[in-house]
Amino acid sequence: MRNEELAGLVVRARGLALFRGVLGTRPARDLLSLLGLLARERPDAGEVAGVVGGLWAGLAASRDPLLPDAWQAHFLGSILDDENPFSLGAETGELPPALLGQARRELPVLQGLFGLGTRSLLALVEERLPELGGLWEPLVHPGAGGDGSPRQEIARKLAAAPDWGGCAELLAGHFARQGAGTLGRYRAFRWREGGLVPVESPDPVRLEDLVAYEEERRPLIENTERLLAGLPSHHALLYGPPGTGKSSTVKALANAYAADGLRLVELPKEDLGRLPELMQTLRRRGARFIVFVDDLSFEEDEVSYKTLKALLEGSVAPPPQSVRLYATSNRRNLVRERFSDREEDDVHVHDTMQEKLSLAARFGLRVTFPPPDQKRYLEIVFGLARARGLAMPEEELRERALLWERWHPGRSGRTARQFVDGLEAGLKER
């Protein structure tokens, strides 16, 4: 690459408008500095060595193995993670022609920078400054490109494209389906201090991992698919005893439909007062969301349930159609009711009772996860044992599972899983 070509690439990169944020990472800044140094007639070896060392360290710290080459993986990840008018407009379906046209102009500039893989860069450095030869090992990700995620797929397509100028629509389609920025990279979030915090390693539970309760899960699956299709869907309340798989069902649904653009946002019960703020944040985004509230219930002196009740149905500003609340609870009547509530000193005792019972009715879909009888409990045990490849005669497995259940807190899916966990550990210790 001639000096004037390097200088020209740097100048064009400085003129990026939509994708300026892509150049804001430390490795990108170091790369531009390096190109500027190499474009000089007589680059200073010390300066170049310092910049290359910083670039190498920055890429080594970047853990986003989209592609084998470390620089290309980092740079493509930055493009996909950048929230800018183009990516956000594509996500919400409001992408003006001017933004699409500008993206077509800028993407070839990005492709020029992307094409400078780590091996090419090091070869360029050694060509200009032979005394620096052999100082750095080319950085590669040996296991890159194997998870098959939508993010991985779009990275593979861009890497293989001969002309990124014609890929603006392809990239816009990715943002429309998967979301821009962190929404496109992560599938689960927590709501904290007024913002979405990504969960880097969410529970990987899958629907196929859940044994029994298929009939209970079916309406939830159908409801989630309607949400994704933009059809009318319901807020859902899953209630039943602890350990029956309510929370696991919600997390497994989020994992199953993450590639279709579904995102899970966990909201702690103590932050329910900020639910309107969360809904307003999600209203501005183009993805589909499940807001997950686990173990939802209220004591008689709590009044935050009224905020939730109004938001589900009755508020002037209803929740966006792209957001549905899935809550789990150990009891159907979410607000605790006492016999004292029915004392005759309350002139409108019936109204008081209905006020407390009406919250559950605001959930259009209510699903009961009953405690398992012995047959279902053993079905879960046998299913988990098969999935883990545990070799044990069925009668012995049955007897040990029933003994475990008698000495532990009753029958539930959790009890069954704990039994199989202990059994697996014991068999492997032999």
Side-chain angles (χ1 to χ4, degrees), residues 378-390:
L378 291 173
E379 177 189 354
I380 298 171
V381 168
F382 293 150
L384 292 174
R386 281 194 304 272
R388 301 189 192 186
L390 303 184

Side-chain angles (χ1 to χ4, degrees), residues 135-151:
L135 188 56
W136 301 281
E137 179 75 15
L139 268 174
V140 295
H141 302 300
D147 65 2
S149 66
R151 195 165 180 270

Side-chain angles (χ1 to χ4, degrees), residues 9-47:
L9 184 55
V10 172
V11 169
R12 293 178 69 81
R14 300 292 186 196
L16 291 174
L18 290 177
F19 293 98
R20 292 187 72 82
V22 174
L23 303 179
T25 67
R26 179 62 185 270
R29 294 197 303 270
D30 283 340
L31 181 121
L32 290 180
S33 296
L34 175 61
L35 296 183
L37 291 173
L38 295 177
R40 295 177 182 174
E41 190 64 35
R42 294 178 181 229
D44 180 87
E47 285 187 81

